[in-house]
Amino acid sequence: MTKPLFAICLASAVLFFSLPGNAADPLPSWNETESKKAIVAFVQRVTTKGSPDFIPAGKRIATFDNDGCLWSEKPLYFQMLFVIDRVKQLAPMHPEWNRTQPFQAVLEGDQETLAAAGNAGLMQLLLATHAGMTTDAFADTVRDWLQTARHPQLNRPYTELVFQPMLELLDYLRASGFKTYIVSGGGIESLRVFAEEVYGIPPTQVVGSRIKTKYEVRDGMPVLVRLPEIDFIDDKEGKPVGIQQHIGQRPVFAAGNSDGDFQMLQWTTSGEGASFGLLVHHDDGAREWAYDRDSHVGKLDRGLNEAAALGWTVISMRHDWKVVYPSR
Amino acid sequence: MTKPLFAICLASAVLFFSLPGNAADPLPSWNETESKKAIVAFVQRVTTKGSPDFIPAGKRIATFDNDGCLWSEKPLYFQMLFVIDRVKQLAPMHPEWNRTQPFQAVLEGDQETLAAAGNAGLMQLLLATHAGMTTDAFADTVRDWLQTARHPQLNRPYTELVFQPMLELLDYLRASGFKTYIVSGGGIESLRVFAEEVYGIPPTQVVGSRIKTKYEVRDGMPVLVRLPEIDFIDDKEGKPVGIQQHIGQRPVFAAGNSDGDFQMLQWTTSGEGASFGLLVHHDDGAREWAYDRDSHVGKLDRGLNEAAALGWTVISMRHDWKVVYPSR
């Protein structure tokens, strides 16, 4: 190939590959509000060579909470919905659960007793449904559950209750050289089952809560067995710890929606150089749910109080988003 | 651009971008032995579309031990060399160490007492030198040490004692769509300080042993503080556990050199589909060190016994490698 021809090819390739990011609107489901402008301005500032806020590609780390940030978390966090369904599913093999709390409360739908059982009760339920099998068997269980379970009020699969504007934000950041991570209080092995298909986030970019596992060889075949013991809780002060364990770098972009994400945003936005903190505010009772300071699930109080002073962007679902869920 | 011109451009681009991997020898420091042929044949089988052993790019996970696999581990694992130097450095601030074991043994070079202190003694030394500071301060300490420390016998920086043939193997795998990870018994935060510069492996692709950390806000600035408590030991049965925690997928290629890597290779090569297990055998007393079954550091006994039956490739440093270290 002659030199000029090669130059034409190169120029056309550059044009071809840069078209999607520049010409088209990267966030079509976002209204033209201050929130969208702030996101786009940040991405442009940190990806423009020569800009004082330029961040090299290897340091463009973006972390996203899952429940309430990438998908709906009402009436309960998905890990809890899974626990409740699993207790019901496994009950025939555990007749003693009919007269043992907190299992009995789950089987009878007795919310009051369940709430009274508190965190200790929650742990009992969690370990009874999440431990005692191999990692492969557990992943299969979650996969099966996601395929059949439906949201109790909306009657849709949970994986359809993702936020279309946030899917676009994930794509936009990746197209701009960011590496996107989930950093969730949910179980890491549950999240990994659907994160790649639903969010385009591979297993290695998922950070979550963990129980301990043990390597052993059974009948000549090695397996990883899930043990009934909490290893790590990826919530509140745990989120920066989980980020350091898995990523080993401070993010420059963090998105959350509850006070469980406060420390992740605080850690992200107190590093050197440019950074972005985003909180999704659930103020859309018509299209999703409206809740914040007084909610048990997804409580957002401290974040609302301090966001402005800390320079974080609070997304109003009602005002900033054209749609909430993807069209079917 | 007309269609034929676009086709020429595409074809030339494909040719251009595929040249480095095909035309040039990807492993120039390897002799033309069975070991090299086995590696190249595996990579070609799993990356050729339509091959029965084809592995999609997202599943091409390769894990490498560090000490003795990517760089020399004699006379001691680098984490231990660091500990010894740090105890000497910190001693003026700890006059009590002059009369407290096992610190006294380190300061006096008393190998016998040090060995007698066993694992408990080792842990004391480790926690005294690795905890009580922020993650940033610790990383700075490791960085400073690596810049000044010299190998006691070879008088070279440790980061120069990497194996040139293994650097080429890492590059070759990455050029073939593999994601390369370090999975080491060494400390994860120590490894991250140099893994990117030396091996081209970013912080998020490093798996290692960990102490616990705690998030706290000091004078308004958030920090991660390293606590004097072991969180995870990434050795033997721990390696598949660490791989699952960090990567969430079973590797298809694993390289090690000691029985501490046995379970990582076992886990890797007992998955479904094609896989490759590699052991570096230190049989080169002239250019590096010769040791295996009876060595305290980097003992390789079970691996040598079972490699053939398990289909693993044992690399002879003496016969398979043209050079050991990179030329200066």
Side-chain angles (χ1 to χ4, degrees):
Chain A
M1 189 157 54
T2 61
K3 216 173 167 189
L5 182 55
F6 181 74
I8 294 169
C9 288
L10 193 67
S12 67
V14 167
L15 191 72
F16 180 77
F17 288 111
S18 57
L19 257 180
N22 292 339
D25 180 354
L27 301 172
S29 299
W30 292 67
N31 287 316
E32 302 300 324
T33 56
E34 290 309 309
S35 299
K36 176 172 175 172
K37 283 178 200 160
I39 293 170
V40 173
F42 170 77
V43 171
Q44 287 178 346
R45 274 194 298 132
V46 302
T47 58
T48 303
K49 274 210 170 167
S51 151
D53 290 331
F54 179 73
I55 300 174
K59 296 195 170 171
R60 290 181 208 155
I61 307 288
T63 54
F64 287 78
D65 175 46
N66 183 46
D67 292 319
C69 179
L70 294 179
W71 74 3
S72 290
E73 64 186 344
K74 292 281 182 179
L76 278 174
Y77 304 124
F78 101 102
Q79 206 75 41
M80 282 316 299
L81 296 163
F82 172 76
V83 163
I84 288 168
D85 282 357
R86 278 301 281 168
V87 166
K88 291 177 186 166
Q89 242 172 7
L90 294 170
M93 290 154 65
H94 296 273
E96 75 280 10
W97 285 357
N98 285 309
R99 46 181 201 282
T100 319
Q101 295 297 4
F103 301 95
Q104 189 182 341
V106 172
L107 296 173
E108 294 173 355
D110 176 358
Q111 298 296 334
E112 205 174 316
T113 306
L114 197 55
N119 266 339
L122 191 64
M123 282 301 146
Q124 262 188 286
L125 296 171
L126 201 85
L127 296 176
T129 50
H130 284 63
M133 71 289 279
T134 68
T135 46
D136 285 347
F138 180 72
D140 287 343
T141 305
V142 175
R143 202 172 289 115
D144 290 347
W145 177 74
L146 280 172
Q147 270 164 13
T148 54
R150 294 293 176 273
H151 189 277
Q153 286 132 295
L154 304 177
N155 195 32
R156 292 176 69 172
Y158 292 106
T159 49
E160 284 185 12
L161 299 177
V162 295
F163 303 141
Q164 175 64 23
M166 296 304 278
L167 296 181
E168 291 169 8
L169 179 54
L170 285 170
D171 281 339
Y172 175 46
L173 289 173
R174 286 190 290 252
S176 306
F178 283 79
K179 206 161 176 178
T180 53
Y181 288 82
I182 288 177
V183 178
S184 168
I188 186 166
E189 296 299 353
S190 310
L191 289 155
R192 281 169 167 166
V193 169
F194 62 91
E196 184 143 32
E197 196 185 322
V198 175
Y199 303 127
I201 295 180
T204 188
Q205 283 160 237
V206 175
V207 182
S209 297
R210 294 191 305 261
I211 60 173
K212 295 209 173 185
T213 60
K214 182 173 176 269
Y215 181 77
E216 59 183 55
V217 179
R218 289 181 175 175
D219 301 328
M221 282 302 286
V223 289
L224 286 166
V225 182
R226 293 169 60 83
L227 304 179
E229 193 182 339
I230 297 290
D231 189 27
F232 177 65
I233 302 287
D234 191 46
D235 194 32
K236 300 189 176 77
E237 289 84 1
K239 290 207 171 189
V241 171
I243 285 170
Q244 183 62 29
Q245 268 183 23
H246 286 261
I247 310 177
Q249 283 176 279
R250 200 193 291 235
V252 295
F253 186 105
N257 70 293
S258 79
D259 284 349
D261 303 312
F262 188 90
Q263 287 80 2
M264 173 168 75
L265 268 71
Q266 185 183 48
W267 177 239
T268 299
T269 59
S270 57
E272 281 175 35
S275 58
F276 200 91
L278 185 157
L279 284 173
V280 175
H281 186 201
H282 291 259
D283 58 359
D284 196 335
R287 298 187 298 178
E288 205 240 7
W289 280 268
Y291 59 95
D292 46 38
R293 298 180 191 277
D294 301 318
S295 180
H296 181 63
V297 170
K299 174 179 174 147
L300 179 64
D301 185 38
R302 187 178 175 192
L304 284 181
N305 292 341
E306 301 191 24
L310 294 166
W312 300 348
T313 298
V314 179
I315 302 297
S316 159
M317 290 183 77
R318 191 152 44 115
H319 291 116
D320 291 333
W321 290 358
K322 285 187 195 157
V323 298
V324 173
Y325 303 123
S327 54
R328 291 204 240 196
Chain B
M1 188 156 51
T2 60
K3 217 172 164 188
L5 182 54
F6 182 73
I8 294 170
C9 289
L10 195 67
S12 66
V14 168
L15 191 73
F16 180 76
F17 287 111
S18 57
L19 259 179
N22 292 338
D25 179 355
L27 301 172
S29 299
W30 292 66
N31 288 317
E32 301 301 323
T33 57
E34 291 310 309
S35 299
K36 175 172 178 175
K37 284 177 199 160
I39 293 170
V40 173
F42 171 77
V43 170
Q44 286 177 348
R45 274 192 300 135
V46 303
T47 58
T48 303
K49 273 208 171 168
S51 152
D53 290 331
F54 179 74
I55 300 173
K59 295 194 171 172
R60 290 180 207 155
I61 307 287
T63 53
F64 287 78
D65 174 49
N66 183 46
D67 293 317
C69 179
L70 294 179
W71 73 4
S72 292
E73 64 186 346
K74 291 281 181 177
L76 278 174
Y77 304 123
F78 101 101
Q79 206 75 42
M80 283 315 301
L81 295 164
F82 172 75
V83 163
I84 288 168
D85 281 357
R86 279 301 281 169
V87 167
K88 290 177 185 167
Q89 242 171 6
L90 295 171
M93 289 153 65
H94 294 272
E96 74 281 10
W97 284 358
N98 285 312
R99 44 179 202 285
T100 319
Q101 294 300 1
F103 300 96
Q104 188 181 342
V106 171
L107 296 174
E108 293 173 356
D110 175 358
Q111 298 297 336
E112 206 175 317
T113 306
L114 196 54
N119 266 340
L122 191 64
M123 281 302 145
Q124 261 187 288
L125 295 171
L126 202 84
L127 296 175
T129 50
H130 283 64
M133 71 288 278
T134 68
T135 46
D136 285 346
F138 180 72
D140 287 343
T141 305
V142 175
R143 200 172 290 114
D144 290 347
W145 178 74
L146 280 172
Q147 270 165 12
T148 53
R150 294 293 177 271
H151 188 278
Q153 284 132 297
L154 303 177
N155 195 32
R156 292 175 69 172
Y158 291 106
T159 50
E160 283 185 13
L161 300 177
V162 294
F163 302 140
Q164 175 63 23
M166 297 303 278
L167 296 181
E168 291 169 7
L169 179 55
L170 286 169
D171 280 341
Y172 176 46
L173 289 173
R174 286 191 290 253
S176 305
F178 283 78
K179 207 162 174 176
T180 53
Y181 288 82
I182 287 176
V183 178
S184 167
I188 187 167
E189 297 299 355
S190 309
L191 289 155
R192 281 168 166 166
V193 169
F194 62 91
E196 185 144 30
E197 195 186 321
V198 175
Y199 302 127
I201 295 179
T204 188
Q205 285 160 234
V206 174
V207 182
S209 297
R210 294 191 304 262
I211 61 174
K212 295 207 173 187
T213 59
K214 183 174 176 271
Y215 181 78
E216 59 181 56
V217 179
R218 288 182 174 174
D219 301 327
M221 280 304 285
V223 289
L224 287 166
V225 182
R226 295 169 58 83
L227 304 179
E229 193 182 339
I230 296 290
D231 189 27
F232 177 64
I233 302 288
D234 192 45
D235 195 32
K236 300 189 176 72
E237 290 84 2
K239 289 207 171 188
V241 171
I243 286 169
Q244 184 61 27
Q245 268 183 24
H246 285 259
I247 311 178
Q249 283 175 277
R250 199 193 291 236
V252 294
F253 186 106
N257 71 291
S258 78
D259 285 348
D261 303 312
F262 189 90
Q263 287 82 0
M264 173 168 75
L265 268 70
Q266 185 183 47
W267 177 240
T268 299
T269 59
S270 57
E272 280 175 36
S275 58
F276 201 91
L278 183 157
L279 284 173
V280 175
H281 186 200
H282 292 260
D283 59 359
D284 196 334
R287 296 186 299 178
E288 206 240 6
W289 280 268
Y291 59 95
D292 47 38
R293 297 178 192 275
D294 301 318
S295 180
H296 181 63
V297 170
K299 174 180 173 143
L300 180 64
D301 184 37
R302 187 179 174 190
L304 284 181
N305 293 341
E306 301 190 26
L310 294 166
W312 300 349
T313 297
V314 179
I315 302 297
S316 159
M317 291 183 74
R318 192 152 43 117
H319 295 294
D320 292 334
W321 290 359
K322 283 187 195 157
V323 297
V324 173
Y325 302 122
S327 54
R328 291 204 239 198

